[in-house]
Amino acid sequence: MEYTVINNEKDQRFEIHLDGYIAFEQYKLFDGGISYIHTEVPPELGGKGIAAYIAKYVLDYAEEHHLKVKPYCPFIKAYIDKHPEYQANSLFHTKESHENEN
C-alpha cells in the first residue's frame, strides 16, 4: 500500500492520500504540545488499517518535535494504550493517571 502523508497546516490536520481518497487526523497546537481531536477515514479506505497508520505517524511527529500529546481522539488514545512506548509523551497516560483508575 503506497500512500502520502502531508501536514495540512492551513486546516490543522495530517492527511493520508491513498487511491484518490483522503483520511486525516485533526489537531490543534498549544504551547509545548499538540491535541489530536478527530480521525476521519472514508468508507472506501475502511479495513485497510489507515487509522493505525495515521496514529503512528502523528505520534512520531509529536515525539520528533518534542511536543506533549493530548489524545482526545479515541483512535489516538487506543493506539497509545496498545503501544506503551508512546505513553511517556501523552499527557493522559502517566503512571499516576493509571494508578488513579484503580
Side-chain angles (χ1 to χ4, degrees):
M1 172 171 47
E2 290 195 29
Y3 59 88
T4 303
V5 180
I6 65 165
N7 181 357
N8 179 339
E9 293 180 12
K10 178 180 171 269
D11 293 332
Q12 290 190 316
R13 64 190 201 175
F14 291 97
E15 300 175 350
I16 286 186
H17 295 249
L18 176 66
D19 298 335
Y21 298 100
I22 299 174
F24 64 86
E25 177 65 45
Q26 199 78 38
Y27 69 85
K28 290 188 188 273
L29 293 172
F30 62 93
D31 188 27
I34 191 165
S35 297
Y36 293 120
I37 54 178
H38 176 68
T39 299
E40 190 164 314
V41 178
E44 296 84 358
L45 298 180
K48 295 186 179 201
I50 296 298
Y53 284 108
I54 292 174
K56 181 170 179 10
Y57 183 87
V58 299
L59 291 168
D60 287 345
Y61 176 90
E63 198 169 88
E64 290 168 15
H65 291 84
H66 308 288
L67 298 170
K68 287 293 187 180
V69 173
K70 287 185 181 177
Y72 293 123
C73 171
F75 285 105
I76 302 300
K77 185 176 181 318
Y79 193 88
I80 293 171
D81 287 344
K82 291 179 182 176
H83 298 87
E85 64 271 22
Y86 291 106
Q87 291 180 4
N89 200 32
S90 171
L91 295 175
F92 297 151
H93 288 83
T94 62
K95 182 179 179 186
E96 293 80 25
S97 69
H98 283 294
E99 288 173 353
N100 291 334
E101 291 173 359
N102 296 325

